[in-house]
Structures are given as structure tokens and as C-alpha cells.
Amino acid sequence: MSRAQFDVLVVGRGIVGLAHALAAARLGLRTAVLDRETHAVGASVRNFGFVTVSGQAEGITWRRALRSRDVWAEVAERAGIAVHHRGLVMVARRPEALAVIEEFVAGPMGKSCRVLKSAELPKPIRKGHAGGMYSPHELRVESRDAVPRLAEWLARSLGVTFLPRAMVLAVEPGEVTTSAGRIGATHIVVAPGPDLTTLFPEEYARRRVTLCKLHMLRVAAPGWRLPAAVMSDLGLARYLGYRTPSLPALQERLQAEQPDHLADGIHLIAVQGADRSLVVGDSHHYADSHDTFQPREVDDRMLEELSAVLDIPYPDVVERWTGVYPSGPDAAFVEAVRPGVRLVNVTSGSGASTAFALAEETISDLLGHPPPPHTLETDA
């Protein structure tokens, strides 16, 4: 490959990399995306496509989610990406969960959300739950379709160059050395996803980043349509944004009644696609390296929670898969590892929900521009 010159070169074509390409190209910068694969194959396409706002950690992560949701809505329309859901129904199976919801809705991050009485829970949610919450903030795309469409649109409409099947060997200021040759760029963004060892491994070690493996399932169309994405009590215990005064009581009851679910890091997310099949998950297991096996009992616990919440007593699983994403103490980080080089990663499983806003921050930083408005506390 002959030496090419770009304003911005992004290493990695997952959702975090594509978000940075979008932020750069929108400013008129000559932008390229380089990856060892020909298309995204990792966590960016092995997920729900669920852009989650309610429940994100208070502060910058929540504000990034709000901004990223807006970017998703705009880009989806332009790139021909279908939005399959808008909103979230959080089902409270227990009175303790409803207490958490009531406190959350009364707080600053509960703006525009509303508490649902038991009788107000929409079908196909089972009867007998304590109540719930409706959040209007979320949207959902089909990741395995949306991410390739986003890449195609970036190339077609914004002139982003894609350089596939190139292994990055070294990154220095102004230049990336790859298996296909050297590529020059004024600014470089390294967004390697779960690859914690090829580039800048010392930074990942210092930040105590490991890997999280999750199980996910596709369930055959049950004959009804979900009105929105659906979650339940286990999600209240897992998402940092729901840390209200009543949460310890819910956690105590969950530990008594569903200890195995908690041990497997299970919480329910159920979303639906155009073919009416459900994508259901998920679980969380942490290690520096993961096996490729999917123990049946973990899937069974996820399906048990699904059937407890929705009117689907015998889920017909048609597809199973695992995903792996980087996980660490920070929700995300951007680090200046060389002059003009930024190492970027979302280390909380919220790439689809926050990457667009994070990318705007990174590109602004590289160019020496003021930070985007969503970074300001006053905008919350």
C-alpha cells in the first residue's frame, strides 16, 4: 500500500471507531477507518442495539447517553437504519423495586419518566407485578444491521475511507505501521474494543481493564408485539443510575430469592425486531481470557426471568451467542498516549449508548476545540 495521508485515522471499526469517524467527517476532515477485519464482528454487533439512557450512571455517562441517543435518531434516518423501539418499560416484580422506581422518577434523571401502576403495565407483560416505569428516552436498532449500514453511509455520504484486513503493528505520532504498509495521519484514534494486548497494553493494565463475557439469545416470534424494550428488577440492581435509598432493600430480597441470577450477573433486557423475534439477555462474567462455551444453566436463568415478566411461558430459542467487551472501573476513557494519538475505549458495556457523544469529545480534544455542550454539568 502506498503511503496515504489523512486528517484523522481511526483504528477499529466497531461502534466506538465508527462514532469517531462520524464526528471527524462531519467537521470536513479527511477520515479513514482501519481494521484487521472486513466488517464489525465483535461486541458492536453481538448486542441488543439498545440505546439506554435511564439507568446510566449519574453525570457525564448519563449526559453522553442523552446526546448519543439524539445522534442515533438523526443518523438512523439518514442512513436508512430502522428504529424498532422507542422507550423502555421497566417492570417492578416486587414492591421493593417499585419503591426504587418511584424515587428514581422523582429525581433529576427521572425527568419525563412516569411511574406505572400494576394495571397500567401494557400487554404482553404478565399480570400481578407491583408496577413499573415508562421511560421515553430509549431507542433500539438491530445491531447486526445498523452497524454495517452506518459504515456504508459514512463511506457513501461523508467520504470516509475504509481500510480492511490491515493489522496495526505500531502507532507513532503522525503514522500507523500496518501489515499492509504505513499510513500517515495528523490525528490518530485507537479504538480497539476488547483487544487489550496488541496496542498500549500497559495502559489497560494500569487502568485494571479486564474482559466481560455475556450470553444472549434470540427467541422465535411469540405472536405479539412489544410496545417498548422491557427490563425488570434485576436491571434496577445492576444499572448504576438506580442507586436510590430503597435499593438496598431490593438487593437484599434479590439475594434471598435469585442468588444464582445475581452470581451470573443476569438482568433482563428484551427487545423485538422487524420479524417479531425477541433478542433476550444478558449475563456478565469477568476474566482476562474467556472460553467459548455457553453453560446451559445461565441461559435457563435468563429465560426464567423472561417468562416471569412476559407472557411467553415456553420460549423457543432459535439462536444463541456470546459477546465480549472490555470492562474496568471507569465507564469509558480517552487517553493521550502519544502526541496527536488518543486511546479510546468504553469499559462498561455502554458503547452503543454513549459512543457518539464520547467521540465528539475526543475529536474536539484532538483539534483543540472547546468541549461539546453535553460535557457541562449545567446542561444536565
Side-chain angles (χ1 to χ4, degrees), residues 52-69 109 239-241 329-333 346-351 353-355 357-358 361 374-375 377:
T52 313
V53 176
S54 294
Q56 296 290 358
E58 184 177 8
I60 187 60
T61 302
W62 180 65
R63 295 195 299 277
R64 283 171 179 162
L66 283 168
R67 171 59 185 160
S68 295
R69 183 274 320 272
M109 293 193 299
Y239 276 66
L240 299 179
D330 304 311
F333 70 86
V346 177
T347 47
S348 57
S350 61
S353 299
T354 62
L358 182 66
E361 297 168 36
H374 70 260
T375 62
E377 288 286 347

PDB file of all heavy atoms in Angstrom, residues 52-69 109 239-241 329-333 346-351 353-355 357-358 361 374-375 377:
ATOM      1  N   THR A  52     -29.531   2.939  25.734  1.00  0.00           N
ATOM      2  CA  THR A  52     -30.107   3.083  27.065  1.00  0.00           C
ATOM      3  C   THR A  52     -29.725   4.420  27.675  1.00  0.00           C
ATOM      4  O   THR A  52     -28.543   4.770  27.733  1.00  0.00           O
ATOM      5  CB  THR A  52     -29.607   1.955  27.989  1.00  0.00           C
ATOM      6  OG1 THR A  52     -29.734   0.705  27.304  1.00  0.00           O
ATOM      7  CG2 THR A  52     -30.401   1.898  29.268  1.00  0.00           C
ATOM      8  N   VAL A  53     -30.719   5.153  28.149  1.00  0.00           N
ATOM      9  CA  VAL A  53     -30.493   6.425  28.838  1.00  0.00           C
ATOM     10  C   VAL A  53     -30.827   6.274  30.320  1.00  0.00           C
ATOM     11  O   VAL A  53     -29.971   6.448  31.188  1.00  0.00           O
ATOM     12  CB  VAL A  53     -31.323   7.560  28.198  1.00  0.00           C
ATOM     13  CG1 VAL A  53     -31.155   8.852  28.991  1.00  0.00           C
ATOM     14  CG2 VAL A  53     -30.919   7.762  26.747  1.00  0.00           C
ATOM     15  N   SER A  54     -32.069   5.933  30.624  1.00  0.00           N
ATOM     16  CA  SER A  54     -32.477   5.769  32.022  1.00  0.00           C
ATOM     17  C   SER A  54     -31.698   4.631  32.661  1.00  0.00           C
ATOM     18  O   SER A  54     -31.636   3.530  32.118  1.00  0.00           O
ATOM     19  CB  SER A  54     -33.976   5.492  32.114  1.00  0.00           C
ATOM     20  OG  SER A  54     -34.713   6.616  31.695  1.00  0.00           O
ATOM     21  N   GLY A  55     -31.094   4.916  33.804  1.00  0.00           N
ATOM     22  CA  GLY A  55     -30.281   3.923  34.494  1.00  0.00           C
ATOM     23  C   GLY A  55     -28.795   4.103  34.296  1.00  0.00           C
ATOM     24  O   GLY A  55     -28.001   3.521  35.039  1.00  0.00           O
ATOM     25  N   GLN A  56     -28.393   4.912  33.313  1.00  0.00           N
ATOM     26  CA  GLN A  56     -26.966   5.188  33.175  1.00  0.00           C
ATOM     27  C   GLN A  56     -26.482   5.970  34.394  1.00  0.00           C
ATOM     28  O   GLN A  56     -27.243   6.704  35.023  1.00  0.00           O
ATOM     29  CB  GLN A  56     -26.689   5.982  31.900  1.00  0.00           C
ATOM     30  CG  GLN A  56     -27.029   5.256  30.612  1.00  0.00           C
ATOM     31  CD  GLN A  56     -26.105   4.081  30.302  1.00  0.00           C
ATOM     32  OE1 GLN A  56     -25.154   3.800  31.046  1.00  0.00           O
ATOM     33  NE2 GLN A  56     -26.373   3.386  29.206  1.00  0.00           N
ATOM     34  N   ALA A  57     -25.215   5.806  34.719  1.00  0.00           N
ATOM     35  CA  ALA A  57     -24.658   6.461  35.902  1.00  0.00           C
ATOM     36  C   ALA A  57     -24.834   7.969  35.826  1.00  0.00           C
ATOM     37  O   ALA A  57     -24.663   8.586  34.769  1.00  0.00           O
ATOM     38  CB  ALA A  57     -23.177   6.112  36.050  1.00  0.00           C
ATOM     39  N   GLU A  58     -25.164   8.549  36.956  1.00  0.00           N
ATOM     40  CA  GLU A  58     -25.398   9.984  37.026  1.00  0.00           C
ATOM     41  C   GLU A  58     -24.160  10.757  36.585  1.00  0.00           C
ATOM     42  O   GLU A  58     -23.023  10.356  36.845  1.00  0.00           O
ATOM     43  CB  GLU A  58     -25.758  10.373  38.462  1.00  0.00           C
ATOM     44  CG  GLU A  58     -26.117  11.833  38.646  1.00  0.00           C
ATOM     45  CD  GLU A  58     -26.545  12.155  40.066  1.00  0.00           C
ATOM     46  OE1 GLU A  58     -26.408  11.261  40.944  1.00  0.00           O
ATOM     47  OE2 GLU A  58     -27.014  13.277  40.294  1.00  0.00           O
ATOM     48  N   GLY A  59     -24.364  11.875  35.908  1.00  0.00           N
ATOM     49  CA  GLY A  59     -23.253  12.709  35.481  1.00  0.00           C
ATOM     50  C   GLY A  59     -22.961  12.564  34.005  1.00  0.00           C
ATOM     51  O   GLY A  59     -23.868  12.463  33.171  1.00  0.00           O
ATOM     52  N   ILE A  60     -21.682  12.497  33.660  1.00  0.00           N
ATOM     53  CA  ILE A  60     -21.269  12.540  32.267  1.00  0.00           C
ATOM     54  C   ILE A  60     -21.766  11.334  31.479  1.00  0.00           C
ATOM     55  O   ILE A  60     -22.112  11.467  30.294  1.00  0.00           O
ATOM     56  CB  ILE A  60     -19.727  12.677  32.150  1.00  0.00           C
ATOM     57  CG1 ILE A  60     -19.318  12.893  30.693  1.00  0.00           C
ATOM     58  CG2 ILE A  60     -19.025  11.481  32.768  1.00  0.00           C
ATOM     59  CD1 ILE A  60     -19.909  14.132  30.051  1.00  0.00           C
ATOM     60  N   THR A  61     -21.839  10.130  32.077  1.00  0.00           N
ATOM     61  CA  THR A  61     -22.304   8.965  31.327  1.00  0.00           C
ATOM     62  C   THR A  61     -23.753   9.134  30.911  1.00  0.00           C
ATOM     63  O   THR A  61     -24.132   8.831  29.772  1.00  0.00           O
ATOM     64  CB  THR A  61     -22.131   7.677  32.159  1.00  0.00           C
ATOM     65  OG1 THR A  61     -20.760   7.533  32.504  1.00  0.00           O
ATOM     66  CG2 THR A  61     -22.572   6.457  31.368  1.00  0.00           C
ATOM     67  N   TRP A  62     -24.591   9.633  31.825  1.00  0.00           N
ATOM     68  CA  TRP A  62     -25.999   9.878  31.517  1.00  0.00           C
ATOM     69  C   TRP A  62     -26.133  10.938  30.425  1.00  0.00           C
ATOM     70  O   TRP A  62     -26.913  10.781  29.481  1.00  0.00           O
ATOM     71  CB  TRP A  62     -26.728  10.301  32.784  1.00  0.00           C
ATOM     72  CG  TRP A  62     -28.183  10.591  32.612  1.00  0.00           C
ATOM     73  CD1 TRP A  62     -29.158   9.702  32.260  1.00  0.00           C
ATOM     74  CD2 TRP A  62     -28.835  11.858  32.778  1.00  0.00           C
ATOM     75  NE1 TRP A  62     -30.379  10.338  32.209  1.00  0.00           N
ATOM     76  CE2 TRP A  62     -30.203  11.653  32.525  1.00  0.00           C
ATOM     77  CE3 TRP A  62     -28.374  13.131  33.143  1.00  0.00           C
ATOM     78  CZ2 TRP A  62     -31.132  12.697  32.611  1.00  0.00           C
ATOM     79  CZ3 TRP A  62     -29.296  14.167  33.224  1.00  0.00           C
ATOM     80  CH2 TRP A  62     -30.653  13.945  32.956  1.00  0.00           C
ATOM     81  N   ARG A  63     -25.347  12.004  30.515  1.00  0.00           N
ATOM     82  CA  ARG A  63     -25.427  13.061  29.509  1.00  0.00           C
ATOM     83  C   ARG A  63     -24.901  12.574  28.160  1.00  0.00           C
ATOM     84  O   ARG A  63     -25.421  12.960  27.099  1.00  0.00           O
ATOM     85  CB  ARG A  63     -24.664  14.303  29.991  1.00  0.00           C
ATOM     86  CG  ARG A  63     -25.291  14.935  31.229  1.00  0.00           C
ATOM     87  CD  ARG A  63     -24.747  16.339  31.469  1.00  0.00           C
ATOM     88  NE  ARG A  63     -23.315  16.374  31.695  1.00  0.00           N
ATOM     89  CZ  ARG A  63     -22.717  16.148  32.847  1.00  0.00           C
ATOM     90  NH1 ARG A  63     -23.440  15.824  33.919  1.00  0.00           N
ATOM     91  NH2 ARG A  63     -21.410  16.221  32.972  1.00  0.00           N
ATOM     92  N   ARG A  64     -23.871  11.731  28.180  1.00  0.00           N
ATOM     93  CA  ARG A  64     -23.412  11.144  26.920  1.00  0.00           C
ATOM     94  C   ARG A  64     -24.506  10.295  26.282  1.00  0.00           C
ATOM     95  O   ARG A  64     -24.680  10.292  25.057  1.00  0.00           O
ATOM     96  CB  ARG A  64     -22.170  10.284  27.162  1.00  0.00           C
ATOM     97  CG  ARG A  64     -20.880  11.062  27.357  1.00  0.00           C
ATOM     98  CD  ARG A  64     -19.752  10.142  27.797  1.00  0.00           C
ATOM     99  NE  ARG A  64     -18.484  10.859  27.963  1.00  0.00           N
ATOM    100  CZ  ARG A  64     -17.455  10.395  28.652  1.00  0.00           C
ATOM    101  NH1 ARG A  64     -17.536   9.206  29.269  1.00  0.00           N
ATOM    102  NH2 ARG A  64     -16.350  11.115  28.754  1.00  0.00           N
ATOM    103  N   ALA A  65     -25.235   9.556  27.099  1.00  0.00           N
ATOM    104  CA  ALA A  65     -26.307   8.714  26.567  1.00  0.00           C
ATOM    105  C   ALA A  65     -27.411   9.557  25.931  1.00  0.00           C
ATOM    106  O   ALA A  65     -27.928   9.212  24.858  1.00  0.00           O
ATOM    107  CB  ALA A  65     -26.875   7.824  27.669  1.00  0.00           C
ATOM    108  N   LEU A  66     -27.777  10.655  26.576  1.00  0.00           N
ATOM    109  CA  LEU A  66     -28.791  11.544  26.002  1.00  0.00           C
ATOM    110  C   LEU A  66     -28.327  12.086  24.651  1.00  0.00           C
ATOM    111  O   LEU A  66     -29.093  12.093  23.672  1.00  0.00           O
ATOM    112  CB  LEU A  66     -29.072  12.701  26.957  1.00  0.00           C
ATOM    113  CG  LEU A  66     -29.951  12.393  28.173  1.00  0.00           C
ATOM    114  CD1 LEU A  66     -29.894  13.561  29.156  1.00  0.00           C
ATOM    115  CD2 LEU A  66     -31.391  12.142  27.744  1.00  0.00           C
ATOM    116  N   ARG A  67     -27.093  12.542  24.587  1.00  0.00           N
ATOM    117  CA  ARG A  67     -26.566  13.083  23.335  1.00  0.00           C
ATOM    118  C   ARG A  67     -26.447  11.985  22.276  1.00  0.00           C
ATOM    119  O   ARG A  67     -26.826  12.196  21.111  1.00  0.00           O
ATOM    120  CB  ARG A  67     -25.206  13.742  23.590  1.00  0.00           C
ATOM    121  CG  ARG A  67     -24.452  14.160  22.321  1.00  0.00           C
ATOM    122  CD  ARG A  67     -25.237  15.136  21.483  1.00  0.00           C
ATOM    123  NE  ARG A  67     -24.536  15.422  20.230  1.00  0.00           N
ATOM    124  CZ  ARG A  67     -25.139  15.925  19.159  1.00  0.00           C
ATOM    125  NH1 ARG A  67     -26.447  16.202  19.168  1.00  0.00           N
ATOM    126  NH2 ARG A  67     -24.433  16.154  18.054  1.00  0.00           N
ATOM    127  N   SER A  68     -25.957  10.816  22.650  1.00  0.00           N
ATOM    128  CA  SER A  68     -25.783   9.725  21.689  1.00  0.00           C
ATOM    129  C   SER A  68     -27.130   9.264  21.142  1.00  0.00           C
ATOM    130  O   SER A  68     -27.241   8.927  19.961  1.00  0.00           O
ATOM    131  CB  SER A  68     -25.034   8.565  22.333  1.00  0.00           C
ATOM    132  OG  SER A  68     -23.715   8.937  22.680  1.00  0.00           O
ATOM    133  N   ARG A  69     -28.146   9.246  22.001  1.00  0.00           N
ATOM    134  CA  ARG A  69     -29.485   8.896  21.531  1.00  0.00           C
ATOM    135  C   ARG A  69     -29.946   9.842  20.435  1.00  0.00           C
ATOM    136  O   ARG A  69     -30.509   9.422  19.417  1.00  0.00           O
ATOM    137  CB  ARG A  69     -30.443   8.920  22.727  1.00  0.00           C
ATOM    138  CG  ARG A  69     -31.899   8.497  22.461  1.00  0.00           C
ATOM    139  CD  ARG A  69     -32.767   9.635  21.985  1.00  0.00           C
ATOM    140  NE  ARG A  69     -32.521  10.900  22.659  1.00  0.00           N
ATOM    141  CZ  ARG A  69     -33.102  11.290  23.781  1.00  0.00           C
ATOM    142  NH1 ARG A  69     -33.961  10.473  24.392  1.00  0.00           N
ATOM    143  NH2 ARG A  69     -32.845  12.489  24.299  1.00  0.00           N
ATOM    144  N   MET A 109     -32.753  12.591  37.090  1.00  0.00           N
ATOM    145  CA  MET A 109     -32.603  11.735  35.916  1.00  0.00           C
ATOM    146  C   MET A 109     -33.916  11.060  35.530  1.00  0.00           C
ATOM    147  O   MET A 109     -33.994  10.398  34.500  1.00  0.00           O
ATOM    148  CB  MET A 109     -31.519  10.681  36.155  1.00  0.00           C
ATOM    149  CG  MET A 109     -30.128  11.272  36.265  1.00  0.00           C
ATOM    150  SD  MET A 109     -28.822  10.024  36.174  1.00  0.00           S
ATOM    151  CE  MET A 109     -29.197   9.013  37.604  1.00  0.00           C
ATOM    152  N   TYR A 239     -27.891  -1.469  37.102  1.00  0.00           N
ATOM    153  CA  TYR A 239     -27.582  -0.183  36.489  1.00  0.00           C
ATOM    154  C   TYR A 239     -27.302   0.860  37.567  1.00  0.00           C
ATOM    155  O   TYR A 239     -28.098   1.068  38.480  1.00  0.00           O
ATOM    156  CB  TYR A 239     -28.730   0.273  35.590  1.00  0.00           C
ATOM    157  CG  TYR A 239     -28.672  -0.307  34.201  1.00  0.00           C
ATOM    158  CD1 TYR A 239     -28.830  -1.680  33.983  1.00  0.00           C
ATOM    159  CD2 TYR A 239     -28.451   0.501  33.090  1.00  0.00           C
ATOM    160  CE1 TYR A 239     -28.780  -2.218  32.707  1.00  0.00           C
ATOM    161  CE2 TYR A 239     -28.399  -0.025  31.819  1.00  0.00           C
ATOM    162  CZ  TYR A 239     -28.561  -1.384  31.635  1.00  0.00           C
ATOM    163  OH  TYR A 239     -28.506  -1.915  30.369  1.00  0.00           O
ATOM    164  N   LEU A 240     -26.185   1.573  37.430  1.00  0.00           N
ATOM    165  CA  LEU A 240     -25.719   2.475  38.485  1.00  0.00           C
ATOM    166  C   LEU A 240     -26.639   3.667  38.708  1.00  0.00           C
ATOM    167  O   LEU A 240     -26.655   4.247  39.793  1.00  0.00           O
ATOM    168  CB  LEU A 240     -24.315   2.970  38.149  1.00  0.00           C
ATOM    169  CG  LEU A 240     -23.227   1.896  38.040  1.00  0.00           C
ATOM    170  CD1 LEU A 240     -21.891   2.540  37.684  1.00  0.00           C
ATOM    171  CD2 LEU A 240     -23.110   1.107  39.335  1.00  0.00           C
ATOM    172  N   GLY A 241     -27.416   4.023  37.705  1.00  0.00           N
ATOM    173  CA  GLY A 241     -28.280   5.181  37.837  1.00  0.00           C
ATOM    174  C   GLY A 241     -29.461   4.997  38.766  1.00  0.00           C
ATOM    175  O   GLY A 241     -30.126   5.970  39.139  1.00  0.00           O
ATOM    176  N   PRO A 329     -12.916  -0.046  35.924  1.00  0.00           N
ATOM    177  CA  PRO A 329     -13.502   0.837  36.937  1.00  0.00           C
ATOM    178  C   PRO A 329     -14.183   2.069  36.343  1.00  0.00           C
ATOM    179  O   PRO A 329     -15.095   2.624  36.954  1.00  0.00           O
ATOM    180  CB  PRO A 329     -12.306   1.239  37.797  1.00  0.00           C
ATOM    181  CG  PRO A 329     -11.254   0.206  37.521  1.00  0.00           C
ATOM    182  CD  PRO A 329     -11.472  -0.224  36.115  1.00  0.00           C
ATOM    183  N   ASP A 330     -13.722   2.523  35.166  1.00  0.00           N
ATOM    184  CA  ASP A 330     -14.299   3.699  34.529  1.00  0.00           C
ATOM    185  C   ASP A 330     -15.356   3.291  33.509  1.00  0.00           C
ATOM    186  O   ASP A 330     -15.251   2.233  32.877  1.00  0.00           O
ATOM    187  CB  ASP A 330     -13.220   4.506  33.814  1.00  0.00           C
ATOM    188  CG  ASP A 330     -12.083   4.909  34.748  1.00  0.00           C
ATOM    189  OD1 ASP A 330     -12.391   5.439  35.836  1.00  0.00           O
ATOM    190  OD2 ASP A 330     -10.910   4.678  34.393  1.00  0.00           O
ATOM    191  N   ALA A 331     -16.368   4.132  33.338  1.00  0.00           N
ATOM    192  CA  ALA A 331     -17.368   3.857  32.311  1.00  0.00           C
ATOM    193  C   ALA A 331     -16.745   3.908  30.920  1.00  0.00           C
ATOM    194  O   ALA A 331     -17.113   3.137  30.027  1.00  0.00           O
ATOM    195  CB  ALA A 331     -18.517   4.854  32.413  1.00  0.00           C
ATOM    196  N   ALA A 332     -15.787   4.825  30.731  1.00  0.00           N
ATOM    197  CA  ALA A 332     -15.068   4.979  29.467  1.00  0.00           C
ATOM    198  C   ALA A 332     -13.836   5.819  29.752  1.00  0.00           C
ATOM    199  O   ALA A 332     -13.733   6.453  30.810  1.00  0.00           O
ATOM    200  CB  ALA A 332     -15.941   5.656  28.419  1.00  0.00           C
ATOM    201  N   PHE A 333     -12.901   5.814  28.816  1.00  0.00           N
ATOM    202  CA  PHE A 333     -11.742   6.681  28.985  1.00  0.00           C
ATOM    203  C   PHE A 333     -11.181   7.098  27.640  1.00  0.00           C
ATOM    204  O   PHE A 333     -11.341   6.404  26.635  1.00  0.00           O
ATOM    205  CB  PHE A 333     -10.654   6.018  29.842  1.00  0.00           C
ATOM    206  CG  PHE A 333      -9.947   4.859  29.176  1.00  0.00           C
ATOM    207  CD1 PHE A 333      -8.859   5.077  28.345  1.00  0.00           C
ATOM    208  CD2 PHE A 333     -10.360   3.556  29.406  1.00  0.00           C
ATOM    209  CE1 PHE A 333      -8.188   4.012  27.739  1.00  0.00           C
ATOM    210  CE2 PHE A 333      -9.704   2.487  28.811  1.00  0.00           C
ATOM    211  CZ  PHE A 333      -8.617   2.717  27.975  1.00  0.00           C
ATOM    212  N   VAL A 346     -14.711   2.249  25.656  1.00  0.00           N
ATOM    213  CA  VAL A 346     -15.858   2.225  26.557  1.00  0.00           C
ATOM    214  C   VAL A 346     -15.739   0.949  27.367  1.00  0.00           C
ATOM    215  O   VAL A 346     -15.788  -0.153  26.802  1.00  0.00           O
ATOM    216  CB  VAL A 346     -17.186   2.274  25.787  1.00  0.00           C
ATOM    217  CG1 VAL A 346     -18.364   2.166  26.741  1.00  0.00           C
ATOM    218  CG2 VAL A 346     -17.280   3.564  24.978  1.00  0.00           C
ATOM    219  N   THR A 347     -15.563   1.073  28.679  1.00  0.00           N
ATOM    220  CA  THR A 347     -15.255  -0.090  29.521  1.00  0.00           C
ATOM    221  C   THR A 347     -16.393  -0.385  30.485  1.00  0.00           C
ATOM    222  O   THR A 347     -16.178  -0.729  31.643  1.00  0.00           O
ATOM    223  CB  THR A 347     -13.948   0.151  30.285  1.00  0.00           C
ATOM    224  OG1 THR A 347     -13.972   1.453  30.878  1.00  0.00           O
ATOM    225  CG2 THR A 347     -12.752   0.069  29.350  1.00  0.00           C
ATOM    226  N   SER A 348     -17.631  -0.265  29.973  1.00  0.00           N
ATOM    227  CA  SER A 348     -18.807  -0.506  30.805  1.00  0.00           C
ATOM    228  C   SER A 348     -19.945  -1.164  30.051  1.00  0.00           C
ATOM    229  O   SER A 348     -21.059  -1.281  30.577  1.00  0.00           O
ATOM    230  CB  SER A 348     -19.305   0.823  31.389  1.00  0.00           C
ATOM    231  OG  SER A 348     -19.580   1.747  30.337  1.00  0.00           O
ATOM    232  N   GLY A 349     -19.695  -1.599  28.816  1.00  0.00           N
ATOM    233  CA  GLY A 349     -20.761  -2.233  28.050  1.00  0.00           C
ATOM    234  C   GLY A 349     -21.774  -1.255  27.497  1.00  0.00           C
ATOM    235  O   GLY A 349     -22.844  -1.671  27.036  1.00  0.00           O
ATOM    236  N   SER A 350     -21.453   0.048  27.490  1.00  0.00           N
ATOM    237  CA  SER A 350     -22.419   1.046  27.030  1.00  0.00           C
ATOM    238  C   SER A 350     -21.968   1.732  25.742  1.00  0.00           C
ATOM    239  O   SER A 350     -22.291   2.890  25.498  1.00  0.00           O
ATOM    240  CB  SER A 350     -22.640   2.102  28.125  1.00  0.00           C
ATOM    241  OG  SER A 350     -21.431   2.782  28.434  1.00  0.00           O
ATOM    242  N   GLY A 351     -21.249   0.994  24.915  1.00  0.00           N
ATOM    243  CA  GLY A 351     -20.743   1.581  23.677  1.00  0.00           C
ATOM    244  C   GLY A 351     -21.834   2.102  22.770  1.00  0.00           C
ATOM    245  O   GLY A 351     -21.753   3.240  22.274  1.00  0.00           O
ATOM    246  N   SER A 353     -24.687   3.051  23.574  1.00  0.00           N
ATOM    247  CA  SER A 353     -25.439   4.103  24.253  1.00  0.00           C
ATOM    248  C   SER A 353     -24.668   5.406  24.398  1.00  0.00           C
ATOM    249  O   SER A 353     -25.291   6.463  24.546  1.00  0.00           O
ATOM    250  CB  SER A 353     -25.873   3.623  25.644  1.00  0.00           C
ATOM    251  OG  SER A 353     -26.717   2.498  25.563  1.00  0.00           O
ATOM    252  N   THR A 354     -23.343   5.366  24.374  1.00  0.00           N
ATOM    253  CA  THR A 354     -22.571   6.576  24.704  1.00  0.00           C
ATOM    254  C   THR A 354     -21.485   6.947  23.699  1.00  0.00           C
ATOM    255  O   THR A 354     -20.899   8.026  23.806  1.00  0.00           O
ATOM    256  CB  THR A 354     -21.904   6.418  26.082  1.00  0.00           C
ATOM    257  OG1 THR A 354     -20.980   5.321  26.047  1.00  0.00           O
ATOM    258  CG2 THR A 354     -22.940   6.167  27.178  1.00  0.00           C
ATOM    259  N   ALA A 355     -21.195   6.096  22.719  1.00  0.00           N
ATOM    260  CA  ALA A 355     -20.005   6.301  21.881  1.00  0.00           C
ATOM    261  C   ALA A 355     -20.072   7.556  21.033  1.00  0.00           C
ATOM    262  O   ALA A 355     -19.048   8.218  20.807  1.00  0.00           O
ATOM    263  CB  ALA A 355     -19.775   5.087  20.987  1.00  0.00           C
ATOM    264  N   ALA A 357     -21.372  10.505  21.648  1.00  0.00           N
ATOM    265  CA  ALA A 357     -21.004  11.673  22.443  1.00  0.00           C
ATOM    266  C   ALA A 357     -19.537  11.633  22.836  1.00  0.00           C
ATOM    267  O   ALA A 357     -18.835  12.659  22.797  1.00  0.00           O
ATOM    268  CB  ALA A 357     -21.880  11.752  23.687  1.00  0.00           C
ATOM    269  N   LEU A 358     -19.049  10.462  23.220  1.00  0.00           N
ATOM    270  CA  LEU A 358     -17.641  10.315  23.573  1.00  0.00           C
ATOM    271  C   LEU A 358     -16.749  10.699  22.397  1.00  0.00           C
ATOM    272  O   LEU A 358     -15.704  11.342  22.562  1.00  0.00           O
ATOM    273  CB  LEU A 358     -17.366   8.877  24.009  1.00  0.00           C
ATOM    274  CG  LEU A 358     -15.943   8.547  24.452  1.00  0.00           C
ATOM    275  CD1 LEU A 358     -15.583   9.289  25.730  1.00  0.00           C
ATOM    276  CD2 LEU A 358     -15.783   7.036  24.652  1.00  0.00           C
ATOM    277  N   GLU A 361     -16.314  14.406  21.990  1.00  0.00           N
ATOM    278  CA  GLU A 361     -15.362  14.910  22.968  1.00  0.00           C
ATOM    279  C   GLU A 361     -13.923  14.660  22.505  1.00  0.00           C
ATOM    280  O   GLU A 361     -13.046  15.538  22.615  1.00  0.00           O
ATOM    281  CB  GLU A 361     -15.596  14.235  24.317  1.00  0.00           C
ATOM    282  CG  GLU A 361     -16.945  14.500  24.943  1.00  0.00           C
ATOM    283  CD  GLU A 361     -17.220  13.580  26.113  1.00  0.00           C
ATOM    284  OE1 GLU A 361     -16.260  13.258  26.845  1.00  0.00           O
ATOM    285  OE2 GLU A 361     -18.378  13.165  26.298  1.00  0.00           O
ATOM    286  N   HIS A 374     -22.643  18.908  25.921  1.00  0.00           N
ATOM    287  CA  HIS A 374     -23.133  17.866  26.820  1.00  0.00           C
ATOM    288  C   HIS A 374     -22.149  17.545  27.948  1.00  0.00           C
ATOM    289  O   HIS A 374     -22.519  16.864  28.908  1.00  0.00           O
ATOM    290  CB  HIS A 374     -23.469  16.590  26.038  1.00  0.00           C
ATOM    291  CG  HIS A 374     -22.259  15.875  25.494  1.00  0.00           C
ATOM    292  ND1 HIS A 374     -21.847  15.994  24.195  1.00  0.00           N
ATOM    293  CD2 HIS A 374     -21.375  15.038  26.084  1.00  0.00           C
ATOM    294  CE1 HIS A 374     -20.760  15.281  24.008  1.00  0.00           C
ATOM    295  NE2 HIS A 374     -20.445  14.682  25.125  1.00  0.00           N
ATOM    296  N   THR A 375     -20.911  18.024  27.839  1.00  0.00           N
ATOM    297  CA  THR A 375     -19.944  17.740  28.897  1.00  0.00           C
ATOM    298  C   THR A 375     -20.128  18.659  30.101  1.00  0.00           C
ATOM    299  O   THR A 375     -19.512  18.434  31.145  1.00  0.00           O
ATOM    300  CB  THR A 375     -18.499  17.898  28.383  1.00  0.00           C
ATOM    301  OG1 THR A 375     -18.292  19.257  27.976  1.00  0.00           O
ATOM    302  CG2 THR A 375     -18.244  16.973  27.207  1.00  0.00           C
ATOM    303  N   GLU A 377     -21.896  20.298  33.278  1.00  0.00           N
ATOM    304  CA  GLU A 377     -22.857  19.911  34.326  1.00  0.00           C
ATOM    305  C   GLU A 377     -24.157  20.697  34.212  1.00  0.00           C
ATOM    306  O   GLU A 377     -25.228  20.187  34.490  1.00  0.00           O
ATOM    307  CB  GLU A 377     -22.256  20.134  35.714  1.00  0.00           C
ATOM    308  CG  GLU A 377     -21.167  19.144  36.095  1.00  0.00           C
ATOM    309  CD  GLU A 377     -21.714  17.772  36.445  1.00  0.00           C
ATOM    310  OE1 GLU A 377     -22.940  17.644  36.626  1.00  0.00           O
ATOM    311  OE2 GLU A 377     -20.910  16.833  36.551  1.00  0.00           O
TER     312      GLU A 377
END
